[in-house]
Amino acid sequence: GGRPADVSWSAALPSVAHAVCDVYGDTETYREAASAIAALVDEVGVEARAGLGKMRTPYGDWCPPPARMGKGQGRKPSPPLTSAFSYALMVQQAAELARAAGNASEGARYASLGREIVSNFHTAFYVGNGTFDTSGTQTANVLGLALGGAPDVGLARRRLLSLLRARRTHYDTGIVGFKFLFDVLDQAQAHDAALAVLSQTDYPSIGYYFANSLEPATANLWELPDAPAEGTGMNSRNHHMWSSYSAYLVKSVAGLHQQAGTHGFQRLELRPSGAYALSGASVTVDLPHGTARLSWVRSGGRQHDKVSEGETARLSCGPSGGRISAVSFASFGTPSIGSPSDLPSDGRRSDGFETDPACHALRSSQAVAEACVGRNSCEVPATRVFFGERGSLFCTTRRDPLASPLRLWLTVACEVAADSLRVEAGVPVGSTARLLLPLRGMATPHLRESGRSVYLATDPSASSAARKANRLGSVQLTEDERTGRILAVELPSGLFDFDLSDAATPRAASSATEAAISV
């Protein structure tokens, strides 16, 4: 339209070059685009001279969900905030690209400029008490934290979590804030808060696209979070701009990424999620030099599942967790995360589910107990028939049937109260890896690889011969800023099979899995 691009859109140039370098180790793309990236940085810099708080922002945090469906776009941060953020980010990316390409002086120049912009960003938008901007949006705090160097990181993280709690772990961001929301929560060890946002199926959520009864999506994402309630203009049903969460699923939920400061997946970081509400995940990534794999299953403790109506919930205590001993929570209807005052302020173990009195199948707990208790694993269909709600009047008094589809949330307890972890990893030739195993409540971690003891916390050096025989590097008990207490294992290329348990806790017989019954 003859006007300069919104900075967050023109930032695609350095962003694409950075992604290609990050994933493939390709610096040639940057070398070809270096002069154009430099010109872009200079051009945006001219605009920023009047102050980051005055930068032009035609679009900003695009398409945040309105509080009520059909009401256009929701609240956004102050317009210049996203442009200022994207300016800082493109300079940070340019610094990394220049260093990776061997241009140390250019990298140092960009890095210095990036630090200056970040400092100016915090001066312009941090208003105190852990809050960025006066808009009260999640995006403002997400972007302030994503840049690094926030005036009070802990307070800003708690503020973000309070904003999520106020919306019962639903997002209110547009596409700019959404891209960085989950990484920021991950860095704050708020793994369960991030998972709760992604596992919602009522409006607004990614799950709502697929769970709504009016126009359920299949494989594509909508352009607008409330697409069925909006008009025909700018309302595509095949839009990739909300799909940024998929990277979080790979690198933080399944746990396959590369170590910070490396490129081309030469040095892998394998990190099973620390979320309490997640029982397992698996991922395969095809790389130019081979295939990287990671799969993990958690046994025992408490196991959870959430599904929308018509789907099947699956619960399992795993190979070492024994049988399901009790149903801790069950609701077919419109359950939700508890009231804001009931939720943990640190965003970690967020079991605080509550039923909706206006929409809850009274046989929920009984039906699940009959299907699951005494079994190692079970399947529970999320249907009205299964829960004895055949009548047409079920849940007719719920607040908004279109925005709040029926769903089933479950939590069960296993005979073995302590967690254990089974991990399978594949490291391609040409890569090495660091495996980071979350210990959570384990008092005396005991690690086996292919059945051999390779680490016991009470005698760390006793298994050195077994580690050498199994081609393992060092195994260290340490603290990690993203996961807390972990066991870090250095791996060469190859296939590995680990079992992590608490030596102070008896393990259930592995034959328990043979008793698995599906309903």
Side-chain angles (χ1 to χ4, degrees):
R3 62 186 182 185
D6 186 300
V7 178
S8 298
W9 271 245
S10 61
L13 175 61
S15 180
V16 170
H18 184 267
V20 170
C21 176
D22 190 46
V23 175
Y24 299 107
D26 170 21
T27 57
E28 189 58 34
T29 299
Y30 166 69
R31 290 188 177 94
E32 293 178 0
S35 59
I37 290 174
L40 174 63
V41 170
D42 289 345
E43 178 185 347
V44 177
V46 170
E47 181 183 342
R49 285 176 187 168
L52 297 184
K54 298 180 180 180
M55 293 185 72
R56 190 172 175 280
T57 309
Y59 305 129
D61 193 29
W62 195 237
C63 294
R68 290 183 57 196
M69 294 176 62
K71 299 299 181 180
Q73 296 198 26
R75 286 188 308 155
K76 298 183 180 183
S78 300
L81 186 141
T82 52
S83 290
F85 168 82
S86 295
Y87 175 39
L89 181 64
M90 74 166 67
V91 173
Q92 291 176 339
Q93 291 175 335
E96 289 185 37
L97 286 165
R99 288 193 295 264
N103 192 335
S105 60
E106 188 74 346
R109 183 181 73 83
Y110 279 131
S112 176
L113 176 60
R115 288 190 294 271
E116 179 184 344
I117 299 169
V118 169
S119 177
N120 291 340
F121 179 95
H122 294 320
T123 299
F125 298 107
Y126 186 72
V127 296
N129 198 31
T131 301
F132 285 86
D133 195 40
T134 58
S135 61
T137 60
Q138 296 166 11
T139 289
N141 266 53
V142 166
L143 300 187
L145 286 164
L147 282 181
D152 189 328
V153 173
L155 196 59
R157 285 172 173 170
R158 289 193 292 275
R159 171 60 177 164
L160 173 59
L161 288 166
S162 73
L163 293 170
L164 280 169
R165 291 198 308 276
R167 296 183 63 86
R168 300 199 175 201
T169 60
H170 291 77
Y171 70 87
D172 69 7
T173 68
I175 60 171
V176 180
F178 192 76
K179 175 178 173 60
F180 299 93
L181 170 63
F182 303 102
D183 285 340
V184 166
L185 291 173
D186 190 59
Q187 291 162 6
Q189 295 188 32
H191 311 297
D192 279 283
L195 191 66
V197 174
L198 279 176
S199 60
Q200 300 285 10
T201 55
D202 58 331
Y203 176 81
S205 68
I206 295 296
Y208 177 73
Y209 294 15
F210 303 89
N212 80 91
S213 59
L214 184 63
E215 189 185 335
T218 52
N220 300 323
L221 297 179
W222 302 336
E223 183 173 11
L224 301 179
D226 59 339
E230 297 288 355
T232 57
M234 201 199 74
N235 199 357
S236 165
R237 304 305 200 270
N238 182 17
H239 223 74
H240 72 281
M241 70 185 191
W242 290 102
S243 65
S244 56
Y245 71 92
S246 59
Y248 174 77
L249 294 178
V250 172
K251 66 184 183 182
S252 297
V253 174
L256 197 159
H257 196 33
Q258 59 184 329
Q259 290 190 20
T262 66
H263 307 283
F265 283 84
Q266 303 298 312
R267 182 68 173 143
L268 303 182
E269 182 175 277
L270 309 177
R271 181 195 294 266
S273 173
Y276 282 85
L278 194 64
S279 60
S282 64
V283 62
T284 299
V285 177
D286 291 326
L287 302 169
H289 58 283
T291 300
R293 297 182 176 88
L294 179 66
S295 65
W296 57 271
V297 175
R298 183 168 286 114
S299 296
R302 287 153 64 88
Q303 300 289 340
H304 312 261
D305 202 5
K306 298 178 180 178
V307 297
S308 56
E309 182 180 17
E311 297 182 340
T312 299
R314 293 174 174 83
L315 298 162
S316 174
C317 288
S320 305
R323 301 171 187 268
I324 296 169
S325 59
V327 177
S328 304
F329 180 88
S331 179
F332 177 65
T334 54
S336 64
I337 298 292
S339 61
S341 60
D342 295 336
L343 297 177
S345 61
D346 60 5
R348 301 177 194 177
R349 192 167 187 164
S350 55
D351 294 348
F353 304 156
E354 65 178 25
T355 61
D356 179 356
C359 186
H360 168 68
L362 297 180
R363 291 192 71 253
S364 293
S365 293
Q366 179 184 345
V368 174
E370 291 171 354
C372 298
V373 172
R375 296 163 167 83
N376 172 261
S377 64
C378 62
E379 296 184 353
V380 181
T383 64
R384 304 177 192 220
V385 171
F386 182 82
F387 289 99
E389 298 291 350
R390 292 178 171 84
S392 59
L393 297 180
F394 179 59
C395 288
T396 55
T397 60
R398 56 185 153 145
R399 180 177 57 84
D400 189 342
L402 176 60
S404 189
L406 297 181
R407 49 196 177 268
L408 171 64
W409 289 11
L410 301 173
T411 299
V412 298
C414 299
E415 286 178 324
V416 178
D419 291 331
S420 59
L421 193 63
R422 174 77 179 272
V423 178
E424 295 179 356
V427 182
V429 174
S431 292
T432 58
R434 194 173 197 225
L435 175 64
L436 306 175
L437 300 172
L439 298 180
R440 307 215 294 197
M442 294 185 186
T444 311
H446 185 196
L447 184 65
R448 299 175 178 85
E449 200 282 315
S450 298
R452 287 185 173 184
S453 176
V454 294
Y455 180 88
L456 181 60
T458 54
D459 192 0
S461 62
S463 303
S464 58
R467 289 197 291 272
K468 184 176 181 180
N470 289 30
R471 302 186 307 112
L472 304 181
S474 64
V475 181
Q476 294 181 321
L477 183 66
T478 185
E479 287 286 330
D480 176 74
E481 63 179 9
R482 285 173 53 196
T483 311
R485 190 162 162 264
I486 62 166
L487 205 59
V489 187
E490 295 293 334
L491 303 179
S493 61
L495 300 176
F496 303 92
D497 187 348
F498 290 97
D499 282 287
L500 175 65
S501 61
D502 191 344
T505 302
R507 288 159 58 95
S510 60
S511 60
T513 57
E514 298 172 6
I517 298 176
S518 296
V519 176

